[in-house]
Amino acid sequence: MEQMTSRSNKKKVAVVGALNACFFAKRGFDVEVFETREDIRQAKIVKGRSINLALSHRGRQALKHVGMEEKIVSQGIPMHARMIHSQNGKQSPIPYGKKGQYILSVDRANLNKQLLTAAETYPNTKLNFDYKLQDWSAETGLMTFVRSDGLEEQIKADLIVGCDGAFSAIRKQFLRRSRFNYSQTYIPHGYMELTMPPINGEFAMKPNYLHIWPRNTFMMIALPNLDKTFTCTLFMPFEEFEKITTGNEVIEFFQKYFSDAIPLIGVDTLKRDYFRLPAQAMVSVKCTPYHIGDKCVLMGDAAHAVVPFYGQGMNAGFEDCIVFEEVMEQFNEDFSAVLPEYTRVRVPDDHAIADLAMYNYVEMRAHVNSRWFLFRKRVDNLLHFLMPKTIIPLYTMVTFTRTRYHECVERWQWQNKVINYGLLVSATGLVLGGSYLLIKNPPDINKLIIPAEKMWNRLMALRTP
Amino acid sequence: MEQMTSRSNKKKVAVVGALNACFFAKRGFDVEVFETREDIRQAKIVKGRSINLALSHRGRQALKHVGMEEKIVSQGIPMHARMIHSQNGKQSPIPYGKKGQYILSVDRANLNKQLLTAAETYPNTKLNFDYKLQDWSAETGLMTFVRSDGLEEQIKADLIVGCDGAFSAIRKQFLRRSRFNYSQTYIPHGYMELTMPPINGEFAMKPNYLHIWPRNTFMMIALPNLDKTFTCTLFMPFEEFEKITTGNEVIEFFQKYFSDAIPLIGVDTLKRDYFRLPAQAMVSVKCTPYHIGDKCVLMGDAAHAVVPFYGQGMNAGFEDCIVFEEVMEQFNEDFSAVLPEYTRVRVPDDHAIADLAMYNYVEMRAHVNSRWFLFRKRVDNLLHFLMPKTIIPLYTMVTFTRTRYHECVERWQWQNKVINYGLLVSATGLVLGGSYLLIKNPPDINKLIIPAEKMWNRLMALRTP
């Protein structure tokens, strides 16, 4: 057993996850970062998921705390609105919020690299790569790793912070304990990434948008990258992916549903890239409690993997760091009080965002096609403009504030009741008022036929296509 | 590697769980039963949960298939009704179904022993005790065990049947696979068992009942045993258990809530037994799919642990055997077709009984105290008597038929709508009819005062206390 010498008088914290390392290092803890993989900054080929991420307020606030916000934001591409591509090729934008509010498309690999470099600048932090966790004890804080040279190394930590992703190795030991509630739910959809190259050195579509092709049971989205490509992601039930087995079937399928994207991706690229990798699964993980005793805590995807449809996965994980920081402040870094309190305050919010992401999984691909949905979005935005503190659209609360996720949901349900009731009252008022005027001044019936026909046509147009 | 020689030309099935062994042996398979523990028939002290089990129709049908029904039923104690103990000591029975319908209190350990002996009578079955599963492959069917002599043994099976309980070792490998949906939910209540000894060689309470002391947030139940004792089980939130720390506090608590049970259990026994073991946790497990490829399938508690409040845990597990048998018949023992079909037909039913058990967790300790609940139970029973094929109480469908669990739930929801609507219409009819009669023949107002007062008192008494 090789004992690490302490570089300070502070407690030792073992973490997976570079942002968390910065938070603990900033507080003066003696921090050891462990990565199962090699240092991605030196790696030739970056393996793993390449999806770009949507960074918004919560994530930015966490980056700001460790002085990284500006750097990361400057390397992201602002997206001010969704751009809806209808089946006939028509494009219509739906803004994310008020003027000046936007989310950012950032590169996952680049973000990881920047955070590792930031963590390394703290003298009380050590990065360990190629360390495979063999065993650990929640009672003693002793962790056993196998290093890249094949030797074992043991490290004793005062706190083990498991931010080791949706398939967390740390979480496995939680599962063996009594009274640990856990669920993992795979959705019936898989995803597949396709690259849309630049055209004449420029973005093939308008860059400052998150492009969406909603098609009810499935959909495609596209996010811009710094190299002027777009990463297109096709979300579809696995059995639909499996039905397409030849290049020609791919083109036929795109011809039918995403015809405007074919010339932009390119027929040959499309035929080839569709078969490069099988469709990937998406999982939603919820659990509670997040801690064992006073020595281990789960954070980020390890505690709450969410489906990617609200663009909040990374933001929720980064916000965990702020919430933990707040609880640390409140309880004076006493882990035996901090850990239970962290579970108590954070679980309801993480469960709420997991549910919201699942809800948006339906909304993004189906509701966006409904005129009633678009009408309600406009009403919400108008009311938000008129009463900015009373009516706040759900998306705005989630994306552009730090309102606790579970409070966003509660407030949204309340607002919906109020607005729907208001719309009902207004509609009734209009009908009653109109009837009264008609009775008082009966108009020439012949003059009514044409406006009535127009109104009827409008009404018909309002129905979901 | 030690290869087992095949005792027949049939495929080899490795199972945990003696009832399943009988089913496969009866079909002529070469069956190996593996138990982690020693042979409980030889064990001096039987460890593990000692709760007695409630056997009803589904479980009996499975036992019947392997010729074990009569034997097990003869060793059980019929319970025709719940016996509700109110806080003031009053006892009132609520029958489980029609006359002659009853559930059976059976001894878990004895049942296990009988089933092992039954499995052993098949020449194509071998029982292996003290075999600890180290590893297994869903692809090859190869299982590695460590035997009691410390040696490893490998066995290759054509089908691995995992009925290894709520904390299944087999299920762990399912969890590592993609697209396996899983949830484990611990309820906030724990349970504790207390023994009520016989009095003068006779049962201390009426034996042919399941005694219930419903107290809203907690409850106690008691089931009769063949040795004329009752096993009392106290269900209570963990934090309530923890509040009671001394023998005197136990007595105080019982004095307040279960005073009629104190003389029957005995003050000294109560003071001692309460601290014998800490309260035990209860978990509800749901998952899907139940199979991997054509070589492994989960059944019983390993596939669907339920909380014990519907008395269906064992019955659902035993019914799994019948359903599997039916699918085997349908697909001619072709595992590659049988396993997916078993998942398809059985998952919705197991999930339904898990939900129902969770629902009854509230009903048993709280609703049973409500007069509206008792009134509705009586209405349901009356309607069942009048229209035995149209209206069937939920409990009857679940306990005394083999109606698929998910169909029981659907039918119950439909019946509730119809009955509640019927009650509303009848009440309205009574009011209208009464008003009409009153207007036609206005009675002397003074004669109405006393009956009105009586009716008012009745109505008041109908409210939940």
Side-chain angles (χ1 to χ4, degrees), chain B residues 193-382:
Chain B
E193 291 187 339
L194 302 162
T195 303
M196 185 184 283
I199 293 180
N200 301 326
E202 270 311 312
F203 280 107
M205 302 183 296
K206 287 185 179 171
N208 294 114
Y209 295 90
L210 193 157
H211 294 263
I212 310 181
W213 291 256
R215 298 295 180 265
N216 295 311
T217 53
F218 54 92
M219 70 166 175
M220 188 165 75
I221 66 169
L223 274 81
N225 299 312
L226 275 187
D227 64 0
K228 310 220 164 159
T229 61
F230 274 95
T231 306
C232 303
T233 311
L234 175 59
F235 297 94
M236 198 157 67
F238 278 97
E239 60 267 29
E240 297 296 321
F241 273 114
E242 283 153 18
K243 277 184 196 159
I244 298 171
T245 55
T246 67
N248 286 340
E249 282 169 1
V250 177
I251 301 303
E252 249 171 65
F253 172 75
F254 268 72
Q255 203 77 57
K256 190 162 174 195
Y257 296 108
F258 313 113
S259 59
D260 60 338
I262 300 180
L264 306 180
I265 299 177
V267 173
D268 293 334
T269 317
L270 198 50
K271 279 183 171 179
R272 189 189 59 222
D273 285 4
Y274 187 94
F275 300 102
R276 215 165 34 96
L277 276 176
Q280 304 291 304
M282 281 167 284
V283 68
S284 183
V285 172
K286 284 188 197 175
C287 64
T288 183
Y290 288 163
H291 68 287
I292 300 178
D294 61 352
K295 286 210 173 47
C296 184
V297 64
L298 297 177
M299 288 168 82
D301 278 7
H304 49 85
V306 302
V307 291
F309 305 103
Y310 222 111
Q312 284 292 308
M314 170 184 59
N315 292 289
F318 281 13
E319 194 183 37
D320 287 350
C321 300
I322 314 182
V323 173
F324 197 84
E325 178 77 14
E326 287 162 355
V327 179
M328 288 276 275
E329 201 59 46
Q330 193 184 341
F331 288 92
N332 223 346
E333 301 185 357
D334 169 7
F335 294 150
S336 69
V338 167
L339 268 46
E341 177 66 7
Y342 176 70
T343 286
R344 197 188 66 77
V345 298
R346 195 55 178 163
V347 165
D349 291 323
D350 289 335
H351 287 196
I353 190 60
D355 294 341
L356 277 176
M358 208 58 116
Y359 165 83
N360 233 36
Y361 160 49
V362 181
E363 178 165 309
M364 264 183 102
R365 63 192 155 86
H367 294 177
V368 164
N369 283 335
S370 131
R371 293 198 191 218
W372 167 252
F373 173 81
L374 295 176
F375 170 69
R376 269 303 311 275
K377 270 248 180 283
R378 268 188 222 121
V379 170
D380 289 9
N381 288 336
L382 176 69

Side-chain angles (χ1 to χ4, degrees), chain A residues 135-299:
Chain A
D135 198 16
W136 63 278
S137 159
E139 277 69 33
T140 62
L142 195 69
M143 306 172 86
T144 309
F145 294 93
V146 173
R147 302 189 311 212
S148 56
D149 58 10
L151 294 179
E152 267 196 8
E153 185 174 325
Q154 287 195 311
I155 281 149
K156 205 171 172 186
D158 298 296
L159 180 67
I160 299 169
V161 184
C163 325
D164 51 344
F167 303 100
S168 170
I170 298 278
R171 198 179 57 214
K172 287 207 178 93
Q173 234 174 80
F174 279 69
L175 261 170
R176 279 182 232 146
R177 304 206 156 222
S178 190
R179 301 183 66 192
F180 178 64
N181 287 346
Y182 175 80
S183 78
Q184 61 181 46
T185 310
Y186 284 86
I187 56 174
H189 282 59
Y191 73 86
M192 178 180 284
E193 290 187 340
L194 302 162
T195 302
M196 185 184 285
I199 292 180
N200 301 326
E202 271 312 313
F203 280 107
M205 302 183 296
K206 288 187 178 169
N208 294 115
Y209 295 90
L210 193 157
H211 294 263
I212 310 181
W213 291 256
R215 297 295 180 264
N216 296 312
T217 53
F218 54 93
M219 72 165 172
M220 189 164 75
I221 66 169
L223 275 80
N225 300 311
L226 274 188
D227 64 1
K228 310 222 164 160
T229 60
F230 275 95
T231 306
C232 304
T233 311
L234 175 59
F235 296 95
M236 198 157 67
F238 277 97
E239 59 268 29
E240 297 296 322
F241 273 114
E242 284 153 17
K243 276 184 195 158
I244 298 171
T245 55
T246 68
N248 287 339
E249 282 169 0
V250 177
I251 301 303
E252 247 171 68
F253 172 74
F254 267 72
Q255 204 77 58
K256 190 162 175 195
Y257 295 109
F258 313 112
S259 59
D260 61 338
I262 300 180
L264 306 179
I265 300 177
V267 173
D268 293 334
T269 317
L270 198 50
K271 279 183 170 178
R272 189 190 58 223
D273 285 4
Y274 188 94
F275 299 102
R276 216 165 32 96
L277 276 175
Q280 304 292 303
M282 281 167 283
V283 69
S284 184
V285 172
K286 284 189 198 173
C287 65
T288 183
Y290 288 163
H291 69 286
I292 301 178
D294 61 353
K295 286 211 175 46
C296 184
V297 64
L298 296 177
M299 287 168 81

Side-chain angles (χ1 to χ4, degrees), chain B residues 5-39:
Chain B
T5 50
S6 189
R7 278 174 301 280
S8 74
N9 293 326
K10 271 283 200 167
K11 284 181 177 172
K12 182 182 290 238
V13 176
V15 300
V16 198
L19 179 62
N20 239 316
C22 295
F23 271 78
F24 282 105
K26 200 179 161 194
R27 289 197 84 90
F29 285 94
D30 196 4
V31 180
E32 296 268 353
V33 181
F34 295 100
E35 287 276 352
T36 307
R37 296 167 303 180
E38 63 191 325
D39 188 345

